[in-house]
Amino acid sequence: NPYRAHHSTGGKVTDASIVKRHPEMVVELKNGMWWMDPSKKETQDHSAAVVMDILKRYDIDGIHFDDYFYPYASYNKNQDFPDAASYAEYKKTGGELAKADWRRDGVNKFVERIYKEIKAEKPQVKFGISPFGIYRPGYPKSIAGLDQFTELYADARLWLNEGWIDYYSPQLYWKINQTKQSFPVLLGWWENENNHKRHLWPGINIDFGGDALNLDETINQIMLTRGMTPNSKGTLHWSIGPLLRYPNIAAGILKGPYKDQALVPESPWLNPVLPEAPEVVIQYSGNIVKVNWLTTGEDAFKWVIYYKYNNTWNYKILDRNARSFEFLRYMNAAAKKDALTHIGVTAIDRTGNQSDFDEKVIDGKPTAIKPAEKTVPLRSNPEF
């Protein structure tokens, strides 16, 4: 949350808080929260510095912003955000934008700035936002609800249209058949706005209860997402709480749509270069086949081992530290039946690119593998 300085449940404001250290940057809301004024250069510089500090000191995969930009009106008892002095200063220096446009313009510039600064420092690190699920009432026509454009001063469509993010996770926390906030209707609208073909991983609400109806709703939303965004399958669950409270929900999706391992889809706009393919070496010991792989490249983030028993391909995804794996030579060793016949290994880099295939035939010579033969886990179900 790039602008929230102190939560009402956070206890006493201490001397270490930015509220005390930089009182000129913050305002107090009627519900007890303190908010940094998004229009101020000092606020934008501070929040950008926090992002870059995290980015430089830690080996992270991404930076994620929640839906908090300007606060929800209820936080200030439906009174206007207290930035009259900032706006007066803007007008005094020749500013011509109306107050609402001025607020949105400041947020827009901040979002663009964060994206560009992340890419300049570590291009492989993703930047994502989970905006409120409705852009504006009437977009599309059947949709009604809160107007984030006028209340949060968040022009969430613009950020997606401009490609200032690597993945987008609008908070589509409503059911499929909830007409005025229908999950598939809203998902379709956001996908239509995805001009730069970034990852669209919607946030879905799994806290409708622990019964079979909620499990059915959850699975249906996951499957709708896979069908409606075929090049960017993925879902964010809000939140982990229901997965802990309702064991049948967690078990149901794990046995169903999340049964198989999967990789996060590649992000070609971040890096179009494929990692170097590993060299596979096979060792035999009785009924054990040990697969070893070597690589001179340093860009492997994960490995995928493909293997074939009885004319059926399967795969396993391993982390970056793996360099070997063992299989049974025969599933039925006594009868020497159900033999392992093919092994292949690919490297996956930090942005999801998959290398070429180094494949071996067991007890035979290496042969080319037909792409149609192998089971490719990419874009299968990278939900997290």
Side-chain angles (χ1 to χ4, degrees):
N1 300 327
Y3 302 125
R4 194 170 67 192
H6 183 77
H7 198 281
S8 54
T9 62
K12 182 181 178 181
V13 177
T14 69
D15 290 339
S17 171
I18 196 170
V19 174
K20 292 289 186 71
R21 290 187 293 112
H22 292 284
E24 75 283 358
M25 290 168 52
V26 301
V27 295
E28 187 175 11
L29 304 180
K30 300 293 184 182
N31 71 344
M33 288 188 186
W34 289 84
W35 216 266
M36 291 188 288
D37 184 343
S39 70
K40 287 183 175 291
K41 182 179 184 298
E42 296 88 347
T43 292
Q44 297 181 19
D45 289 346
H46 173 79
S47 292
V50 171
V51 168
M52 297 309 294
D53 181 52
I54 294 169
L55 191 73
K56 291 176 180 179
R57 290 199 292 133
Y58 300 98
D59 183 20
I60 59 172
D61 294 313
I63 293 286
H64 183 89
F65 281 179
D66 208 354
D67 61 320
Y68 296 100
F69 293 95
Y70 279 80
Y72 287 87
S74 61
Y75 293 4
N76 204 37
K77 294 188 177 179
N78 294 318
Q79 296 183 24
D80 194 30
F81 184 78
D83 60 355
S86 298
Y87 184 61
E89 183 65 25
Y90 163 75
K91 296 288 284 186
K92 185 179 178 180
T93 58
E96 298 180 351
L97 292 175
K99 182 183 281 189
D101 294 330
W102 165 74
R103 287 172 174 171
R104 278 187 291 270
D105 184 61
V107 175
N108 293 340
K109 289 176 179 176
F110 177 70
V111 169
E112 181 182 15
R113 171 184 177 173
I114 292 299
Y115 186 73
K116 290 181 176 179
E117 289 189 7
I118 288 172
K119 298 310 166 199
E121 181 66 27
K122 290 183 179 179
Q124 78 277 9
V125 171
K126 296 182 178 70
F127 177 49
I129 300 176
S130 54
F132 184 72
I134 298 171
Y135 167 61
R136 303 197 71 182
Y139 291 81
K141 289 184 178 181
S142 63
I143 295 301
L146 182 143
D147 190 340
Q148 68 175 310
F149 187 83
T150 61
E151 182 168 325
L152 306 181
Y153 303 96
D155 192 349
R157 179 172 69 173
L158 177 70
W159 312 332
L160 181 61
N161 288 166
E162 294 293 333
W164 293 339
I165 43 83
D166 299 302
Y167 68 89
Y168 225 41
S169 304
Q171 298 174 1
L172 307 185
Y173 295 162
W174 304 281
K175 293 184 177 182
I176 293 168
N177 64 356
Q178 190 167 328
T179 306
K180 292 185 178 181
Q181 298 86 26
S182 170
F183 172 83
V185 172
L186 285 166
L187 178 60
W189 185 86
W190 285 107
E191 172 65 10
N192 192 55
E193 296 293 328
N194 191 9
N195 302 333
H196 291 269
K197 305 303 178 187
R198 299 299 199 237
H199 297 307
L200 186 62
W201 297 325
I204 69 173
N205 182 1
I206 56 172
D207 200 10
F208 293 121
D211 57 15
L213 285 177
N214 185 29
L215 176 58
D216 190 53
E217 177 76 26
T218 300
I219 291 177
N220 286 341
Q221 290 194 11
I222 292 169
M223 301 313 292
L224 272 170
T225 300
R226 293 182 182 182
M228 294 178 67
T229 57
N231 295 319
S232 182
K233 297 181 183 67
T235 305
L236 273 68
H237 291 287
W238 181 67
S239 63
I240 195 171
L243 292 177
L244 301 177
R245 286 196 304 273
Y246 311 131
N248 64 312
I249 301 295
I253 59 177
L254 205 56
K255 293 176 182 177
Y258 296 171
K259 182 179 179 180
D260 297 324
Q261 282 186 299
L263 298 168
V264 175
E266 69 272 25
S267 302
W269 59 90
L270 296 182
N271 174 26
V273 181
L274 300 184
E276 180 179 330
E279 180 183 351
V280 176
V281 178
I282 304 294
Q283 295 177 320
Y284 303 96
S285 177
N287 196 41
I288 300 297
V289 177
K290 186 175 183 180
V291 184
N292 303 277
W293 54 94
L294 308 172
T295 179
T296 58
E298 297 181 355
D299 52 357
F301 185 60
K302 292 182 183 293
W303 307 97
V304 182
I305 304 182
Y306 297 95
Y307 57 98
K308 189 175 184 180
Y309 284 98
N310 291 333
N311 296 317
T312 299
W313 282 100
N314 210 327
Y315 63 87
K316 293 183 181 295
I317 301 173
L318 305 175
D319 68 31
R320 71 177 91 182
N321 297 316
R323 288 296 184 276
S324 66
F325 197 85
E326 293 184 352
F327 291 92
L328 294 177
R329 190 170 184 177
Y330 297 98
M331 298 295 288
N332 185 340
K336 290 190 175 182
K337 291 183 177 180
D338 305 326
L340 176 68
T341 57
H342 294 71
I343 287 286
V345 181
T346 63
I348 311 297
D349 69 15
R350 197 62 179 264
T351 57
N353 294 318
Q354 189 170 23
S355 74
D356 291 331
F357 210 92
D358 187 13
E359 179 261 359
K360 303 292 184 183
V361 176
I362 304 303
D363 288 336
K365 296 180 180 179
T367 60
I369 188 169
K370 297 178 181 178
E373 281 189 279
K374 69 178 181 178
T375 302
V376 182
L378 283 172
R379 306 187 189 92
S380 177
N381 61 334
E383 290 80 1
F384 53 90

